[in-house]
């Protein structure tokens, strides 16, 4: 029989030298790879060549038993087996089964959300080089027992050296065992490993089924690349005499596409991506016979492809060989065996297929009926119990096809299926196993070449490195009556079922496709919660004043010019929380105005702080957990905490959280609060209400979180939006006059997808560089110094409020809607009512004009000064429920301002 590497040997001079078993284990092919032209094609790996599952599994188990004999049971029980993606994931798992006592892990190229890699390494000659290690148990590799590394071939040893170097630096150990089907290292490579082990101070053993070397003549890489280019070009032009041909014809979906729910055990990993223990193995062994029986039942009505019926169906999905005359060799169909097309006289359409079962179709694929109905040709139909096991005609040849890294589960299912069919229909069905791959290899129609046909299809598992082509080799033309395609649920996507997808490609070359989707194992991720930030590391407040449930983004440039931000926000190109305004640097006149306003209003502030704090203690909780809405609410929260200590000796916890209009409150912060405090004790605190947008936002955001009270406690409620407040007067709260320099030097909060992950707090910046202008503590101390003198007034106010009707009327919101229409703005988000909100407009946004209540006094001095500095008109108005209202420039573009940055007046 012709050796399946002879074609390459004749043209490139590549040869195998060594143990006589090498040619029975390996063939040769050439591939599109800039690092290595030749490919060693294993006959017992179950990747490129469909092989008997018993041979594939048995090879790995035998190697594992040899490892156990080498190590002894005591060290074998302390070992960990590590397999390489993608080709050796199944082999490594079989080695672990042979070892029997050790857990298994394989590398992966598929990142998994929430699972942090414990390591990674590069495979130098591979088509896809980067490997991740994602064990569910981060301590899996932390022991000092032997590490068993399994790959399909040991060619240069560089991949193993990279792996050991990376892991030894983190998880040092004294012994490593390298396992491969074949050891093909050169003498220099062998010496390199010996030197490496000596330098490492560890023992490195190697076990393989056979060993030898690959003879590579001078210039073989360049000649191999030229050979691939020449044959692919001739195939594309159709002038290769049928040797390598990608023919154009419509592909066909099979008459029978049957989805089978095999009953995969709940919680059992589908492979070793996140670790697979001996306990997992025992569960799988117990479930395999039942799962295989369900697949056998689905195959019971498969119609065998007739022998000698002519050529393989030609289509763009398959690169065909030799005019489609079939595959030769011990693992191939006899020459001349073709496949039947759907709907021909040789293959019934399958419209009579029974529909039943709970797992008829994935989301979006339709809902199956519960009883037998006709199924249209090419429809997906789940296997049901109406076909008596073992009574239907037996398919002659069945392929169980795994999916890239998913090799072990399909391999074990294939072996169990062979056992079930042998028991129920002895000698009638030949089961083979192979797997799809991302590695591009040239197919050539020659008995002396290892890759005879190629099916190409798009990736269907949303790969991290982007879309690309995937392949199934030696499937087309092999005479398979049925193909059992096994994928994990992450790969059971619309792309799998789409025209031109894997199922469509398979359907052109077999009469029956059976789809088995095993659940993708999702580790239970225990991501540690972040902890609150405190001063002086984050903010200029005392550590006890507030814990910031935020992440520090101080090193990230987030500031943008005010006009640029305004244009982006109003155009819908950005959300206001995705950037920060440039911090306003107050002039000497403005700072003097702030200090004058603070001195004038400190007692009024202290009285409102006392009233709202006493109301909270009386009506909400005797031991409240204060949670201020950063950042305007944070100085108020600190003052409420100080009042509780002053008046009652209470040391109340206080945290600051982020809430973003249109995006809600920080869910990670809420989970942190629920984990550390009773949600019923949490009282959300803000500085003031404008129109009540944040009040509504909070109520909506808390719907999915049990136990939290959405009612906000505020210092001032001029908008009549809440029932817990210190006053409803719209007066100047001096902290509204400044930004970070009165709020612990903390910025407004930031929520941006590239900075805030699903387990992160929202972000903010600590402006340490502004410490010279910081008045945060001075503000708190000035107000707290007036607590004693307002105690009697506070007691009277609290008593009066307790008897009053404080139900929100939302009259502020109504006023905002009226102003929005009256001034032609038609967007309530551009109308900012109240002294605090008007101040924010002047400091952070592009103001259009300011409406001031006629006769408003010194409370608006700072507003008038800021408006003058920015060239914004101040119009007096009657009937406002607020002291003032700030109007943001509607339909703003940067062309709406002059060169001096001043806002234009209304036309």
């Amino acid at each position: 029989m012709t050796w399946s590497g002879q074609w390459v040997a004749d043209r490139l001079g590549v040869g195998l030298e060594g143990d006589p078993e090498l040619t029975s284990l390996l063939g040769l092919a050439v591939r599109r790879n800039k690092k290595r032209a030749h490919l060693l094609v294993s006959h017992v790996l179950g990747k490129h060549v469909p092989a008997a599952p018993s041979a594939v599994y048995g090879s790995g188990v035998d190697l594992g038993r040899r490892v156990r004999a080498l190590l002894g049971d005591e060290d074998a029980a302390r070992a960990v087996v590590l397999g390489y993606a993608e080709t050796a994931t199944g082999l490594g798992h079989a080695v672990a089964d042979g070892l029997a006592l050790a857990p298994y892990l394989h590398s992966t190229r598929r990142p998994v959300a929430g699972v942090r890699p414990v390591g990674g390494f590069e495979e130098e000659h591979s088509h896809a080089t980067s490997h991740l290690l994602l064990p569910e148990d981060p301590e899996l590799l932390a022991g000092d027992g032997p590490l068993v590394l399994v790959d399909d071939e040991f060619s240069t040893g560089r991949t193993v050296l990279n792996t050991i170097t990376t892991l030894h630096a983190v998880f040092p150990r004294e012994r490593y065992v390298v396992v491969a089907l074949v050891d093909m290292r050169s003498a220099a490579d062998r010496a390199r490993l010996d030197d490496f082990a000596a330098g490492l101070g560890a023992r490195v053993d190697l076990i393989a089924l056979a060993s030898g070397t690959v003879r590579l003549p001078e210039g073989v890489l360049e000649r191999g690349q030229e050979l691939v280019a020449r044959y692919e070009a001739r195939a594309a032009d159709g002038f290769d005499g049928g040797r390598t041909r990608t023919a154009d014809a419509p592909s066909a979906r099979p008459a029978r596409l049957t989805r089978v729910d095999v009953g995969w055990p709940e919680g059992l990993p589908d492979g070793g991506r996140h670790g697979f223990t001996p306990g997992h193995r025992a569960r799988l062994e117990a479930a395999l016979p039942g799962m295989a029986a369900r697949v056998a039942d689905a195959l019971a009505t498969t119609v065998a492809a007739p022998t000698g019926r002519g050529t393989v169906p030609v289509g763009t999905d398959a690169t065909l060989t030799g005019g489609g005359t079939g595959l030769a060799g011990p693992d191939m169909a006899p020459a001349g065996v073709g496949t039947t097309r759907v709907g021909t006289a040789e293959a019934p359409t399958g419209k009579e297929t029974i529909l039943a079962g709970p797992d008829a179709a994935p989301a979006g694929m339709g809902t199956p009926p519960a009883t037998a109905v006709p199924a249209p040709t090419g429809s997906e139909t789940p296997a049901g119990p109406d076909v008596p096991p073992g009574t239907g005609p037996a398919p002659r040849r069945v392929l169980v096809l795994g999916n890239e890294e998913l090799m072990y589960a399909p391999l074990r299912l294939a072996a169990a299926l062979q056992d079930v069919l042998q028991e129920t229909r002895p000698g009638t069905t030949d089961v083979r196993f192979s797997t799809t791959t991302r590695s591009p290899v040239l197919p050539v129609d020659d008995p002396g070449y290892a890759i005879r046909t190629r099916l190409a299809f798009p990736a269907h598992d949303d790969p991290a490195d982007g879309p690309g082509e995937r392949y199934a080799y030696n499937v087309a033309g092999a005479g398979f009556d049925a193909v059992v395609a096994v994928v994990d649920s992450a790969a059971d996507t619309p792309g799998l079922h789409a025209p031109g997808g894997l199922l469509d490609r398979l359907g052109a070359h077999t009469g029956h496709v059976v789809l088995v989707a095993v659940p993708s194992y999702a580790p239970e991720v225990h991501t540690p919660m972040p902890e609150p930030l405190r001063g002086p590391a984050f903010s200029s407040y005392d550590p006890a004043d507030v814990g910031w449930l935020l992440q520090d983004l101080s090193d990230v440039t987030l500031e943008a010019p005010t006009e640029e931000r305004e244009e982006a926000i109003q155009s819908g190109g950005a959300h206001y929380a995705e950037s920060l305004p440039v911090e306003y640097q107050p002039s000497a006149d403005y700072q003097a105005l702030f200090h004058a306003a603070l001195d004038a209003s400190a007692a009024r502030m202290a009285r409102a702080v006392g009233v709202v704090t006493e109301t909270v203690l009386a009506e909400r909780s005797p031991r409240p957990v204060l949670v201020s809405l950063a950042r305007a609410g944070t100085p108020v929260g600190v003052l409420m905490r100080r009042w509780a200590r002053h008046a009652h000796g209470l040391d109340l916890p206080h945290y600051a959280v982020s809430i973003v209009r249109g995006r809600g409150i920080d869910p990670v912060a809420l989970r942190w609060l629920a984990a550390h405090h009773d949600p019923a004790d949490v009282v959300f605190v803000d500085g003031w209400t404008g129109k009540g947008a944040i009040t509504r936002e909070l109520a909506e955001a808390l719907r999915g979180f049990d136990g939290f009270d959405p009612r906000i406690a505020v210092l001032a409620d001029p908008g009549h939006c809440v029932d817990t407040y210190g006053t409803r007067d719209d007066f100047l709260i001096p902290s509204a006059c400044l930004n970070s320099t009165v709020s612990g030097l903390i910025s407004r909060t930031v929520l941006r997808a590239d900075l805030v992950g699903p387990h992160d707090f929202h972000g903010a910046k600590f402006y340490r560089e502004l410490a010279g202008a910081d008045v945060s503590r001075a503000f708190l101390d000035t107000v707290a110094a007036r607590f004693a003198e307002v105690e009697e007034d506070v007691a009277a106010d609290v008593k009066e409020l307790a008897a009053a009707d404080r139900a929100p009327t939302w009259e502020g919101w109504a006023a905002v809607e009226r102003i929005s229409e009256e001034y032609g703005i038609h967007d309530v988000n551009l109308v900012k009512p109240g002294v605090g909100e008007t101040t924010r407009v002047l400091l952070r946004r592009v103001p259009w004009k300011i409406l001031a209540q006629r006769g408003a006094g010194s409370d608006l001095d700072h507003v008038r000064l800021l408006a003058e500095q920015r060239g914004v008109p101040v119009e007096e108005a009657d009937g406002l429920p607020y002291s003032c209202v700030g109007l943001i420039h509607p339909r703003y573009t940067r062309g709406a301002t002059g060169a001096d940055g001043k806002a234009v007046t209304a036309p």
Side-chain angles (χ1 to χ4, degrees), residues 448-792:
Y449 190 79
I451 302 296
R452 305 290 300 278
T453 62
R454 178 179 69 204
L455 294 177
F457 55 93
H460 52 87
D461 61 348
D462 190 23
D465 56 353
E469 205 167 50
R470 300 294 185 263
Y471 311 96
Y473 294 109
N474 294 324
V475 175
F480 290 113
D481 308 312
V483 176
V484 180
V486 183
V487 301
D488 61 7
S489 55
D492 187 12
T493 63
L496 174 68
H497 301 261
L502 174 59
L503 300 183
D504 186 40
R505 294 300 190 227
L506 293 174
H509 300 283
T510 186
H512 190 181
V513 175
V514 174
L515 176 61
V516 174
V518 299
S520 301
Y521 182 68
E524 187 175 349
V525 179
H526 299 284
T527 303
M529 286 191 179
E531 289 299 314
L533 302 175
R534 295 184 182 273
F538 188 79
S539 89
S540 60
Y541 289 136
D542 287 336
D545 278 340
V546 60
W548 300 87
L549 301 185
L550 299 170
Q551 62 167 312
D552 189 353
L553 300 179
S554 299
D555 295 331
V556 182
T557 300
L558 294 165
E559 292 78 11
T562 300
E563 289 77 12
E564 181 180 314
R565 292 182 72 247
E566 189 66 45
E567 183 175 11
I569 292 168
Q570 290 200 33
S571 68
H575 190 277
Y576 77 86
E578 295 175 349
S579 64
L580 293 173
V582 177
E583 277 290 302
Y584 171 69
Q585 300 298 310
S587 64
D589 288 345
Y590 192 83
Q591 291 184 61
L593 191 153
F594 164 79
H595 287 289
L598 177 59
D599 290 341
S601 63
R604 194 176 184 183
M605 278 275 299
R607 182 172 175 175
V609 167
V611 171
V612 69
T613 307
E614 293 295 337
T615 302
V616 166
L617 292 170
E619 299 180 359
R620 301 284 289 274
S621 172
R623 298 284 300 184
V625 176
L626 303 178
V627 178
S628 59
L629 304 181
R631 73 188 164 182
T634 304
V636 176
V638 176
L639 285 170
M640 290 177 65
R641 185 177 183 276
R642 289 194 179 188
W643 178 275
R645 188 172 58 226
H646 164 82
H648 304 282
L650 297 175
D651 191 16
L652 301 181
H654 174 218
Y655 305 98
V657 303
S658 169
I659 187 169
V660 177
R661 179 172 54 79
R663 305 263 178 106
I665 196 167
D666 185 344
V668 179
L670 288 181
R671 288 195 289 271
W672 190 96
L673 289 167
H676 292 81
H677 300 281
D678 184 348
D681 289 331
V682 169
V683 177
F684 293 99
V685 175
D686 207 357
W688 57 85
T689 63
K691 56 182 173 286
I694 290 299
T695 304
R696 295 185 177 192
E697 187 80 41
L698 180 63
E700 182 64 29
L702 291 177
R703 291 182 186 276
F705 294 89
D706 294 335
F708 290 98
D709 189 333
R711 294 177 296 163
I712 302 178
V714 299
L715 200 64
D717 179 37
H720 292 248
C721 305
V722 301
D723 61 6
T724 307
Y725 52 84
T727 180
R728 277 184 163 156
D729 294 339
D730 185 20
F731 75 101
L732 172 61
I733 299 174
S735 59
C737 295
L738 299 172
N739 286 329
S740 66
T741 53
V742 76
S743 305
L745 297 181
I746 300 302
S747 73
R748 186 187 49 69
T749 61
V750 174
L751 177 58
R752 208 170 77 189
D754 61 325
L755 298 174
V756 179
H759 303 291
D760 298 328
F761 292 143
H762 292 187
K765 299 184 72 166
F766 175 24
Y767 290 117
R768 299 170 179 85
E769 65 275 17
L770 300 182
D774 188 23
V775 294
S776 302
R777 293 195 183 197
F779 169 72
L780 298 174
D781 292 343
T782 300
V783 175
R786 312 297 288 270
F787 283 170
E789 69 183 68
V790 299
E791 286 177 353
E792 291 185 7

Side-chain angles (χ1 to χ4, degrees), residues 182-417:
V182 291
D183 176 9
M184 305 301 290
R185 291 174 297 156
S186 66
D189 290 330
R190 294 171 190 271
R192 183 185 302 112
L193 181 62
D194 293 339
D195 293 342
F196 173 79
L200 198 68
R203 176 177 173 179
V204 181
D205 296 293
L206 191 140
I207 293 177
L209 294 180
S211 63
T213 58
V214 181
R215 182 180 67 250
L216 296 174
E218 186 75 21
V220 67
L221 178 59
E222 293 76 11
R223 289 196 294 129
Q225 291 173 342
E226 189 276 332
L227 183 66
V228 171
R230 184 170 74 251
Y231 268 77
E232 289 189 336
R234 292 171 65 184
D237 293 337
F239 296 120
D240 65 341
R243 303 289 294 179
T244 303
R245 177 162 57 91
T246 301
D248 294 321
S251 60
R253 291 298 296 268
R256 294 289 310 285
L257 173 55
T258 306
R259 173 181 286 272
V260 178
D261 180 357
V262 296
W264 188 265
E266 184 177 358
L268 180 67
D270 54 302
R273 181 178 286 114
H274 304 297
F276 200 95
T277 67
H280 292 143
R281 187 175 304 119
R283 290 188 64 200
L284 177 62
E285 299 281 358
L288 272 172
M291 293 193 288
R294 294 181 182 94
V295 176
D297 290 346
L299 293 170
T301 56
T302 297
V303 177
T307 59
R309 298 299 296 187
T311 62
V312 179
V314 176
T316 57
D317 52 300
T319 302
L320 305 175
T321 61
T325 57
L327 304 176
D331 293 327
M332 307 299 178
V337 174
T339 62
T340 56
R341 279 220 182 257
V342 174
T344 65
E346 295 81 11
T349 61
K351 293 183 179 180
E352 307 80 21
T353 301
I354 301 298
L355 291 176
D359 190 27
M365 295 298 296
T367 303
T371 58
V373 296
T377 299
S379 67
E380 182 176 305
T381 60
D386 299 76
V387 179
T391 61
R396 290 181 304 100
R397 284 176 60 81
V398 173
L399 174 68
V400 177
L401 184 67
N403 185 245
E404 297 191 43
E405 293 179 10
L406 186 70
M407 295 187 71
Y408 180 72
L411 170 61
R412 297 304 309 276
L413 189 61
L417 177 63

